[in-house]
Amino acid sequence: DTGVSQNPRHKITKRGQNVTFRCDPISEHNRLYWYRQTLGQGPEFLTYFQNEAQLEKSRLLSDRFSAERPKGSFSTLEIQRTEQGDSAMYLCAGTGGASILTGELFFGEGSRLTVL
Amino acid sequence: KNEVEQSPQNLTAQEGEFITINCSYSVGISALHWLQQHPGGGIVSLFMLSSGKKKHGRLIATINIQEKHSSLHITASHPRDSAVYICAVGSGNTPLVFGKGTRLSVIA
């Protein structure tokens, strides 16, 4: 258990619906990343936060995707008007404090999205 | 953008065998990570390397910065080592770039 929790673990939705995923990192994690992973592929970077500031967004993050990290604690990733191509595992990872020096990332278990 | 290639893609080994997984990258980096992903998605960080070699239990990771290559070795492999092993590289504060992973199955 890395101490990073993600909810929900699984989400099945119909095309066109909106979904929201939540990530609760360890309290000392001032840096938080969102990644997307499809079957047989490695994780792909979506966006990351330093405290509450969103510092970088991948081109993978279309305007249907939005991420927030109010107060620099938990983060949410919302997908509007879902498409079948959005089906993937959405992974959250945090780092901060001493782990910034080691570069260690702490991943959550992921939220698996299936769009029908 | 850095390109990360892992080999082999899939590997099946008998319990007790010595296993090597390779990772090559295209652009100079400040750190390379080896990660382990179990079925269901959970990813665990195994090593972070910037030079030389690190050992943890039966796992050994090496990196050759000049050749842009790293290897992960598992000695005396065990069925519980079965997982996907992922290499990821980073430079400065840029987000990590991940390989596609190597799926390892160790048979008793």
Side-chain angles (χ1 to χ4, degrees):
Chain A
D1 182 4
T2 63
V4 179
S5 62
Q6 291 189 243
N7 290 287
R9 293 292 311 281
H10 298 96
K11 178 71 178 179
I12 300 173
T13 192
K14 292 183 180 178
R15 189 175 53 189
Q17 298 293 305
N18 299 344
V19 296
T20 299
F21 300 115
R22 176 176 168 131
C23 172
D24 286 88
I26 300 171
S27 58
E28 69 214 34
H29 286 173
N30 54 358
R31 194 172 292 174
L32 185 148
Y33 297 84
W34 284 100
Y35 289 91
R36 181 173 72 184
Q37 185 177 28
T38 53
L39 199 62
Q41 303 295 315
E44 294 174 296
F45 169 73
L46 292 178
T47 187
Y48 91 96
F49 293 84
Q50 179 81 24
N51 299 314
E52 66 274 12
Q54 188 173 18
L55 295 189
E56 189 171 340
K57 294 197 293 186
S58 160
R59 280 176 236 162
L60 291 175
L61 216 66
S62 76
D63 56 8
R64 296 185 297 104
F65 287 70
S66 62
E68 294 182 338
R69 195 182 183 197
K71 302 177 186 178
S73 55
F74 71 92
S75 176
T76 58
L77 177 69
E78 181 183 17
I79 309 173
Q80 295 183 323
R81 305 181 302 281
T82 52
E83 301 173 357
Q84 287 181 325
D86 297 331
S87 296
M89 176 76 85
Y90 290 85
L91 293 160
C92 167
T95 190
S99 60
I100 287 275
L101 300 176
T102 63
E104 186 173 8
L105 283 177
F106 296 84
F107 282 85
E109 295 285 323
S111 293
R112 183 173 295 283
L113 173 65
T114 302
V115 182
L116 301 175
Chain B
K1 182 187 169 184
N2 220 331
E3 302 289 332
V4 180
E5 297 286 336
Q6 286 188 236
S7 63
Q9 281 187 297
N10 295 284
L11 180 58
T12 300
Q14 293 290 325
E15 183 175 359
E17 284 186 6
F18 180 83
I19 288 161
T20 296
I21 300 170
N22 297 298
C23 174
S24 297
Y25 52 93
S26 58
V27 178
I29 60 170
S30 57
L32 182 143
H33 298 248
W34 281 104
L35 307 149
Q36 181 190 56
Q37 186 171 29
H38 282 285
I43 294 179
V44 175
S45 179
L46 298 175
F47 294 105
M48 196 278 288
L49 292 164
S50 53
S51 65
K53 175 179 172 178
K54 285 191 177 179
K55 184 175 189 291
H56 182 70
R58 294 180 296 105
L59 302 178
I60 303 166
T62 63
I63 187 168
N64 185 317
I65 296 294
Q66 286 73 30
E67 294 186 4
K68 297 186 178 63
H69 180 269
S70 175
S71 293
L72 176 69
H73 305 284
I74 305 175
T75 61
S77 59
H78 190 276
R80 65 174 174 267
D81 297 326
S82 298
V84 175
Y85 291 85
I86 303 173
C87 168
V89 300
S91 182
N93 285 326
T94 60
L96 294 178
V97 176
F98 291 76
K100 293 183 179 180
T102 295
R103 184 175 299 278
L104 171 65
S105 296
V106 182
I107 299 169

